[in-house]
Amino acid sequence: MIEARRLHILRAVADHRTVTAAAAALYLTPSAVSQQLAALEQETGHRLVERGAKGVRLTPAGEILLTHTNAVLAQLERAEAELAAYATGSAGTVTVAAFATGIAQVLAPALTRLAATAPGIRVRVRDAEGDASLPMVLDRQIDVAVAVEYRGAPDADDPRLTHVPLYAEPFDAVVPVTHRLADAGEVPLAELAKDPWIGPYPGNPCHDVVVLACEAAGFQPSLEHSSDDFRAVVALASADAGVALVPRSALRGMDLTGVVVRPVDGVAPTRRVFAAVRRGAEGHPLIRPVLDALGEAARV
């Protein structure tokens, strides 16, 4: 009989690529993870992982079991959801991770809605970018992630996750008031090819949006200044340190002295925001109201 907790460990190793990283995500010791993997191999009668200089990878047998693992764990999530519903599930805690602008845009308004519609649900909020929050969902560190599509992110049809689209928003060009394009109605990105750029660090989903937009315009941006805080990005632009692309919602309520904000000429770069939960958990009586409240906040 295969134990479900060992399947969870197998998936964590497949996701994190090393025993050490999987152990840290699961709050276990590396030796405990190795022991559970060995026990799982004994249970199945197959070698499931191979260790190499660059970490751990699944064997063909491991890949077969991983496919079934995703289905089994999703079904267990559904079972927990139905049992919770049977027990009414009217009170409890849901942990949600979101990036800073997502917290302001949809998560904070969702909390207001939940206070009126589901007062028994307590939401704990954690600030995390999408590339960090999705692994946190899979590792059961949080229940819901508000994330942004990015290069390398799990697809919408990933068997481990259920995606709930929330909203999409364009990026606007932010240039110093002294910039040659400050008076333009719209800014062609190609005209900024030789400018110094200010943007998020690699790994931040917004970094990918900026780089891909510039590549589509025919150039690689010269990112001379880096910050994941868009207030810092705008402040640097106001100091004539460079130009930037910033999500429109991030500019709301910000001090824009010294900069000009203009829409991008043509097809604007866009970030698409979604909520994600472990597949099967979307019907949980504590999680479903949170997803509904996020969707309502996004529509407004």
Side-chain angles (χ1 to χ4, degrees), residues 79-253:
E80 290 181 7
E82 289 188 17
L83 287 171
Y86 177 76
T88 73
S90 59
T93 300
V94 176
T95 303
V96 184
F99 55 98
T101 310
I103 292 173
Q105 185 83 353
V106 291
L107 185 48
L111 296 185
T112 301
R113 286 173 168 77
L114 287 167
T117 61
I121 297 178
R122 175 174 174 258
V123 177
R124 297 176 60 213
V125 178
R126 297 178 65 175
D127 188 335
E129 294 295 336
D131 59 323
S133 62
L134 293 178
M136 290 163 67
V137 168
L138 292 171
D139 293 332
R140 303 182 69 89
Q141 297 174 18
I142 61 172
D143 302 302
V144 182
V146 177
V148 177
E149 290 182 2
Y150 61 94
R151 189 161 37 187
D155 295 331
D157 60 353
D158 189 295
R160 301 168 299 171
L161 295 168
T162 293
H163 284 224
V164 179
L166 294 177
Y167 65 93
E169 65 172 328
F171 281 59
D172 289 325
V174 177
V175 301
V177 292
T178 56
H179 195 272
R180 63 189 181 280
L181 296 177
D183 294 329
E186 296 181 331
V187 172
L189 283 185
E191 296 295 319
L192 302 177
K194 295 183 179 180
D195 285 88
W197 278 74
I198 312 157
Y201 284 100
N204 185 314
C206 289
H207 174 89
D208 285 347
V209 175
V210 171
V211 171
L212 289 172
C214 292
E215 289 176 353
F219 69 97
Q220 285 281 343
S222 175
L223 283 163
E224 295 193 7
H225 311 285
S226 298
S227 175
D228 288 335
D229 185 336
F230 286 116
R231 292 184 183 276
V233 170
V234 170
L236 287 169
S238 71
D240 205 17
V243 300
L245 289 172
V246 177
R248 188 166 292 171
S249 66
L251 295 167
R252 293 174 186 163

